[in-house]
C-alpha cells in the first residue's frame, strides 16, 4: 500500500516506454513519489536480454515455424498447403519491436536465402501503414462483412454500396469536470462529485467543448476545476488528470451560476487545453498531456469482472 501510487504511475508510463524503445535505445522516465521526483533511464538492451523477453520470442518463432512448415498443424486451405506460404505479413503493435523483427528475419528470411532454391525465400512484409492501425482496419472489414452477410440485413445492399472502411482517431473515453448540482434530497441542497462531460467519447481529434460554471460558495473569490477522464456519472469512477485554480472570481448571487466560462480542447497530439474566462475579464489556462487509459481495465475492474464471471 505504501508504494501503490508509485506502482500506478509506472503502469501508466509503461505504454509510453514500450513505444519509445521501439525507436530509441533508451528512454528517461521521471516518476513523482511523495514530495520528490525519481529519474530512471530504461534501456532497450535491458528489455531485449531479459529472460522473459527471450522466452516469449522463442515461443513466437516456434509457433511461426510450426504454422509455416507443418501441414498437420492445420488442414489444407482450399488447394493450398501451408508449406507453400512464402511471406509473413507483420501487423499489430508488437511487430514494431526491433528484436522481434530481427528474430523473424534470422529464422525465416536468412535461413531460406541460404537454401539452393532462390524462389523459396520467405519475405517479411512490413506494411506502409501503421501495423497497429491495420488490426483495427481488419476488424472493421470483418465486422462489415458480417453485417452485410447477416440474414437479418438482406435489405442493406438494396440501398447501400459497401465501400472501403474508414478508420478515424477518436477519443476513447469522455473528458469533463467535477461539479456540484442542485439536489434537494441532500441536507446541503446540492450533490458534488458529478462528472460533467464536455468532450464525449468517440469524438474525433481535435475536439472542443464548453461549459458554464461558478465557485461553490457564492461569496468566495476563488474556484477550482478538476479534469477527469471516464464514462461514469460520478468522478469516483473516473481517472483524475489535473486541477486548475482560478483567482479573483467575482461574488455571485445564490441563484446564479454563470461567472466562469470554461473551454476544454484536445488537439491532435493528445494535449488537453483548459481555458477559464472569468466575468471580470481575467483568463486562466493550462495544458495537460492526456495519458489516456484507452478503455483499458485496471486491476480493480479486472477483479470485479472476474468475480461476476465466477460467482
Amino acid at each position: 500500500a505504501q508504494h501503490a501510487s508509485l506502482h500506478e504511475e509506472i503502469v501508466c508510463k509503461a505504454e509510453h516506454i514500450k513505444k519509445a524503445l521501439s525507436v530509441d535505445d533508451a528512454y528517461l522516465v521521471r516518476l513523482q513519489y511523495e514530495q520528490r521526483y525519481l529519474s530512471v533511464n530504461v534501456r532497450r538492451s535491458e528489455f531485449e536480454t531479459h529472460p522473459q523477453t527471450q522466452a516469449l520470442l522463442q515461443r513466437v518463432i516456434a509457433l511461426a515455424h510450426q504454422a509455416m512448415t507443418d501441414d498437420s498443424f492445420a488442414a489444407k486451405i482450399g488447394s493450398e498447403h501451408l508449406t507453400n506460404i512464402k511471406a509473413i505479413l507483420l501487423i499489430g503493435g508488437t511487430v514494431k519491436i526491433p528484436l522481434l523483427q530481427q528474430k523473424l528475419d534470422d529464422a525465416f528470411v536468412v535461413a531460406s536465402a541460404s537454401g539452393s532454391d532462390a524462389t523459396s525465400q520467405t519475405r517479411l512484409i512490413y506494411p506502409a501503414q501503421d501495423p497497429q492501425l491495420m488490426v483495427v482496419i481488419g476488424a472493421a472489414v470483418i465486422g462489415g462483412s458480417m453485417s452485410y452477410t447477416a440474414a437479418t440485413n438482406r435489405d442493406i445492399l438494396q440501398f447501400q454500396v459497401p465501400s472501403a472502411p474508414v478508420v478515424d482517431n477518436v477519443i476513447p473515453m469522455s473528458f469533463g469536470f467535477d461539479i456540484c448540482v442542485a439536489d434537494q434530497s441532500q441536507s446541503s441542497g446540492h450533490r458534488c462529485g458529478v462528472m460533467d462531460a464536455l468532450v464525449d467519447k468517440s469524438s474525433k481529434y481535435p475536439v472542443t467543448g464548453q461549459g458554464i460554471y461558478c465557485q461553490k460558495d457564492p461569496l468566495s473569490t476563488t474556484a477550482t476545476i478538476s479534469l477527469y477522464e471516464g464514462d461514469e456519472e460520478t468522478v469516483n469512477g473516473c481517472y483524475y488528470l489535473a486541477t486548475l485554480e482560478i483567482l479573483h472570481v467575482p461574488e455571485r448571487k445564490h441563484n446564479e451560476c454563470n461567472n466562469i466560462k470554461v473551454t476544454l480542447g484536445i488537439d491532435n497530439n493528445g494535449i488537453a487545453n483548459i481555458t477559464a474566462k472569468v466575468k471580470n475579464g481575467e483568463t486562466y489556462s493550462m495544458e495537460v498531456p492526456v495519458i489516456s487509459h484507452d478503455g483499458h481495465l485496471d486491476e480493480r475492474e479486472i477483479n470485479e469482472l472476474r468475480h461476476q464471471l465466477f460467482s
Side-chain angles (χ1 to χ4, degrees):
Q2 181 181 359
H3 303 292
S5 60
L6 181 60
H7 176 266
E8 182 178 353
E9 188 172 359
I10 292 174
V11 171
C12 289
K13 290 183 180 295
E15 180 74 9
H16 296 269
I17 296 172
K18 182 187 75 172
K19 291 180 178 179
L21 292 183
S22 294
V23 179
D24 302 318
D25 293 329
Y27 183 73
L28 182 63
V29 185
R30 296 192 70 219
L31 303 170
Q32 183 177 4
Y33 179 60
E34 295 180 344
Q35 301 299 321
R36 56 197 178 98
Y37 283 91
L38 305 176
S39 295
V40 180
N41 193 28
V42 183
R43 299 185 179 277
R44 184 196 294 176
S45 58
E46 295 174 322
F47 165 76
E48 293 180 339
T49 56
H50 195 282
Q52 291 187 9
T53 303
Q54 293 292 325
L56 284 172
L57 288 176
Q58 289 176 6
R59 288 172 56 188
V60 170
I61 300 301
L63 184 61
H65 264 300
Q66 188 176 9
M68 294 282 287
T69 60
D70 186 2
D71 271 347
S72 64
F73 183 66
K76 292 171 63 176
I77 303 175
S79 59
E80 195 73 31
H81 281 277
L82 290 175
T83 50
N84 291 330
I85 297 175
K86 303 303 179 187
I88 301 176
L89 175 62
L90 303 178
I91 62 172
T94 306
V95 303
K96 295 180 179 180
I97 299 175
L99 183 59
L100 176 59
Q101 296 181 24
Q102 177 191 329
K103 293 289 186 181
L104 288 171
D105 189 79
D106 293 342
F108 296 99
V109 179
V110 175
S112 61
S114 62
S116 57
D117 185 5
T119 61
S120 66
Q121 182 174 347
T122 304
R123 293 188 303 137
L124 296 182
I125 303 176
Y126 195 92
Q129 293 184 345
D130 186 339
Q132 194 166 357
L133 180 62
M134 291 192 69
V135 177
V136 182
I137 295 177
V141 170
I142 294 174
S145 301
M146 293 175 64
S147 175
Y148 279 107
T149 56
T152 56
N153 293 334
R154 289 177 180 173
D155 60 329
I156 290 181
L157 290 178
Q158 298 178 11
F159 309 102
Q160 300 180 21
V161 177
S163 58
V166 177
V167 179
D168 292 313
N169 195 14
V170 299
I171 305 290
M173 304 179 75
S174 300
F175 288 84
F177 297 101
D178 176 4
I179 66 169
C180 298
V181 297
D183 188 345
Q184 298 304 320
S185 65
Q186 303 293 322
S187 58
S188 61
H190 58 264
R191 175 167 49 90
C192 296
V194 177
M195 174 69 166
D196 184 34
L198 296 190
V199 173
D200 294 327
K201 69 176 181 180
S202 300
S203 299
K204 298 180 183 179
Y205 292 94
V207 62
T208 301
Q210 291 185 334
I212 304 296
Y213 304 112
C214 60
Q215 70 272 47
K216 184 176 179 180
D217 183 354
L219 302 180
S220 176
T221 59
T222 62
T224 57
I225 53 173
S226 297
L227 179 64
Y228 285 82
E229 176 192 18
D231 299 315
E232 301 295 329
E233 294 184 358
T234 64
V235 297
N236 287 336
C238 300
Y239 298 97
Y240 168 78
L241 296 177
T243 295
L244 174 63
E245 185 176 8
I246 306 169
L247 307 176
H248 308 122
V249 180
E251 297 179 2
R252 64 176 178 86
K253 297 180 180 179
H254 287 267
N255 60 345
E256 292 183 353
C257 185
N258 58 2
N259 55 0
I260 304 174
K261 182 179 181 180
V262 177
T263 301
L264 172 63
I266 303 178
D267 62 21
N268 286 319
N269 297 318
I271 304 296
N273 300 278
I274 307 173
T275 302
K277 294 185 178 180
V278 188
K279 264 192 172 181
N280 60 10
E282 294 190 13
T283 300
Y284 297 83
S285 62
M286 70 182 303
E287 290 187 349
V288 182
V290 176
I291 305 175
S292 177
H293 295 272
D294 292 336
H296 294 171
L297 301 179
D298 58 26
E299 185 175 358
R300 176 185 61 81
E301 293 167 328
I302 292 174
N303 289 333
E304 288 180 357
L305 290 175
R306 184 182 292 117
H307 175 74
Q308 294 174 12
L309 182 62
F310 294 105
S311 60

